[in-house]
Amino acid sequence: MAQQIGYSKKVMEHFMNPKNVGTMDDADGHGKVGNPVCGDLMEIFIKVKDDKIEDIRFQTFGCGSAIATSSMVSEMAKGMRLDEAMRITRNDVANELDGLPPVKMHCSNLAADALHEAIKDYKRKKGEIVEEEEKPAGHTCEHNHNHCDTC
Ligand code: FES
């Protein structure tokens, strides 16, 4: 397939052959977020063992960039400790994909945010209190929500 203008080879590879697609009936954590910029949706399911993400699946009603970033974030997070996975930012995901066109950067919010929501859901189910400071280190949003177009 011809290289799409503005998309890296890695983005195209993950779009054409996404990893970890699907759902999980027995997930330990489930995150679902919507993108206020475009209205698209993302769900991530995680299985946790020994405080690490043992398995992960995603399902998105989003664009090609959402598919590619979700596939990449699932590969990045698999096997990672929960506290490390909480620090994955949208920029980390975009960098791992060798960049996204600026107009598509908002698409990477879905993947990182849904992952963080899935981890918080797991912690809530375990009875652990999830405080605001558990937001990823690179998150600079001043607003009281996770899906800000300006961050
Ligand atoms: S345009 Fe909605 S996630 Fe990309």
Side-chain angles (χ1 to χ4, degrees):
M1 180 172 177
Q3 176 88 20
Q4 299 296 303
I5 294 172
Y7 291 109
S8 71
K9 192 170 174 225
K10 277 191 188 173
V11 170
M12 293 308 295
E13 283 170 3
H14 279 269
F15 170 62
M16 298 300 289
N17 185 26
K19 308 287 191 287
N20 307 306
V21 177
T23 61
M24 225 183 251
D25 290 336
D26 58 346
D28 295 321
H30 171 226
K32 184 176 183 178
V33 298
N35 193 321
V37 178
C38 59
D40 291 335
L41 293 172
M42 165 77 63
E43 287 184 87
I44 284 188
F45 306 81
I46 56 171
K47 214 50 191 159
V48 178
K49 188 174 182 188
D50 297 332
D51 238 28
K52 288 184 179 173
I53 296 177
E54 184 180 50
D55 201 6
I56 183 166
R57 295 280 184 276
F58 79 89
Q59 177 171 264
T60 185
F61 301 95
C63 67
S65 295
I67 293 169
T69 53
S70 306
S71 173
M72 177 55 85
V73 87
S74 71
E75 288 286 276
M76 291 167 74
K78 196 186 272 189
M80 206 178 243
R81 286 199 334 260
L82 294 176
D83 60 332
E84 292 174 322
M86 276 302 282
R87 288 194 286 272
I88 295 175
T89 66
R90 70 172 185 167
N91 286 331
D92 294 336
V93 180
N95 289 340
E96 284 293 319
L97 286 167
D98 295 334
L100 283 169
V103 71
K104 286 295 190 180
M105 278 302 290
H106 72 90
C107 308
S108 59
N109 285 351
L110 283 178
D113 286 354
L115 172 65
H116 301 154
E117 288 301 317
I119 294 169
K120 287 180 187 175
D121 182 50
Y122 166 75
K123 291 190 171 193
R124 269 186 225 111
K125 285 176 178 167
K126 282 198 68 179
E128 296 176 20
I129 298 170
V130 178
E131 301 291 345
E132 279 301 300
E133 57 263 25
E134 287 196 42
K135 282 184 177 178
H139 192 98
T140 58
C141 179
E142 297 297 321
H143 311 292
N144 190 25
H145 59 83
N146 291 329
H147 321 301
C148 180
D149 186 39
T150 61
C151 62

